Structure formats: structure tokens, C-alpha cells
Amino acid sequence: MNAGIEGIVGMYVKLGELDTLQRMKEHRKNLLEQCVDTANFSFDVTRSIYRSDLEVIEAGIESLSSEVTGHVDVFNENRIAGWALYDQHPDKRVTIDIYFDGELVAEVVADQFRKDLLKLNKGDGHHAFMFEPPAGSYQPPLELEIRAAKRKVLKAVTVEPPAVTVGPAMDAEAK
């Protein structure tokens, strides 16, 4: 673990600099995306350092973000939608992670406006999220998990295939 990044993150946590930590996180993610292995050079060590830095930054963000409130309103093959907000920082947007069978399939930000959230005094109302699963990806049986801010599970469910019912026509043929 990089003691330097731990000290920097610790300082920003003490100062309550959630915005700065979120910018640091985006910066590290961008650096990580740029470290592409080539035939001439391996970025394995650099990528490992950036991943470690991201863990430390995430922990700092989590400590400042306090509790997350949210709900998944819809989950089906066409749409997964709901809302989430930080209780102590309703001006900040929550990242939502969507997992199918334990694999991360999407990361979306709960930043869409919903009038009902504003009426319910849920921050400025810009706390909704929506994700459209790619065609064919939402195939029951499916372990679906939706997490807010990397930690709070908003929904964890096993989606079962629809039950096959035997209709009257099939009963008549069976006799």
C-alpha cells in the first residue's frame, strides 16, 4: 500500500473534501485506463499501484459519504431503475454498481431528476438512476445485485425463469 496516498486521502478526509476525493478517484481511473499493455512495455506494476490508490480513495470517500439511502423501483429485462443519495451530502451524486451473477455489468450515476424525489425532500431531486441491460444479458436464472456507493446493497435477488403452466389444450392432448 502506498503510504503517500494514504496520507493525502487522510488529510482530505479530515478537511471534509469529498469533491477533491471524487476528482482524485476520476483522475486515477483515467490513468488506469491509459495504462495499456503493449508488446514493448508492461504496465502491470503501474496498474497495481493505481488500483491500490483507488481502494484508498474509495475508503476516504466512503468515510465522508456517511449513509446512503435509496431504492430500486424497477428491475426487469428492459430497465433497472431507482434512486440513491448520501444522507449527509445530498448535493453529491451516488455511483450505482449493477452486477449480474457476481460480475459488474454497469456503473451508473444517480443524477437524473425526478419530481417525486424533490417533493419528498430528497435533496434537489437529481438522485435517480436508470440502466437498460444489453439485449440478451438479463437471462433468468440470474443473481441480480445493485449496490450504491460500492457498499450499500439496494437490491439483491435471484430472478427465476417464468414458470411454465400447463394449459387446458395441453391437458386434453395428454389424455
Side-chain angles (χ1 to χ4, degrees):
M1 188 80 51
N2 182 345
I5 193 72
E6 289 177 349
I8 293 168
V9 169
M11 178 188 64
Y12 286 132
V13 167
K14 286 179 185 173
L15 294 172
E17 289 289 331
L18 184 59
D19 287 334
T20 303
L21 289 172
Q22 289 176 327
R23 283 194 304 274
M24 282 179 65
K25 174 184 171 185
E26 288 307 310
H27 181 256
R28 284 299 192 283
K29 286 171 78 175
N30 288 335
L31 289 173
L32 187 60
E33 289 173 6
Q34 292 173 20
C35 291
V36 180
D37 290 344
T38 68
N40 301 318
F41 190 77
S42 174
F43 287 101
D44 289 342
V45 172
T46 304
R47 290 179 63 80
S48 174
I49 291 168
Y50 289 159
R51 283 189 189 109
S52 176
D53 288 356
L54 280 167
E55 289 176 18
V56 173
I57 294 167
E58 281 290 338
I61 289 171
E62 183 176 325
S63 72
L64 280 178
S65 300
S66 70
E67 289 300 311
V68 176
T69 302
H71 188 263
V72 177
D73 301 317
V74 175
F75 61 96
N76 59 42
E77 67 277 1
N78 299 316
R79 186 168 70 120
I80 297 171
W83 62 272
L85 75 129
Y86 293 113
D87 295 339
Q88 299 299 315
H89 299 277
D91 57 319
K92 308 300 180 211
R93 305 305 176 218
V94 177
T95 300
I96 305 297
D97 294 327
I98 300 170
Y99 294 84
F100 289 177
D101 294 326
E103 295 292 321
L104 180 67
V105 294
E107 183 176 292
V108 297
V109 177
D111 62 356
Q112 298 174 8
F113 180 75
R114 276 188 22 192
K115 193 174 185 177
D116 64 322
L117 295 176
L118 184 62
K119 285 182 179 180
L120 292 170
N121 294 318
K122 300 294 184 188
D124 61 4
H126 290 269
H127 302 289
F129 66 88
M130 199 270 298
F131 170 69
E132 294 178 4
S137 65
Y138 191 99
Q139 294 293 318
L142 173 72
E143 294 291 326
L144 172 67
E145 186 172 280
I146 302 163
R147 293 186 200 156
K150 303 281 182 207
R151 66 188 187 283
K152 174 149 186 187
V153 176
L154 296 179
K155 179 67 93 179
V157 65
T158 300
V159 179
E160 298 292 342
V164 177
T165 57
V166 178
M170 291 178 81
D171 284 343
E173 289 177 28
K175 291 181 183 180

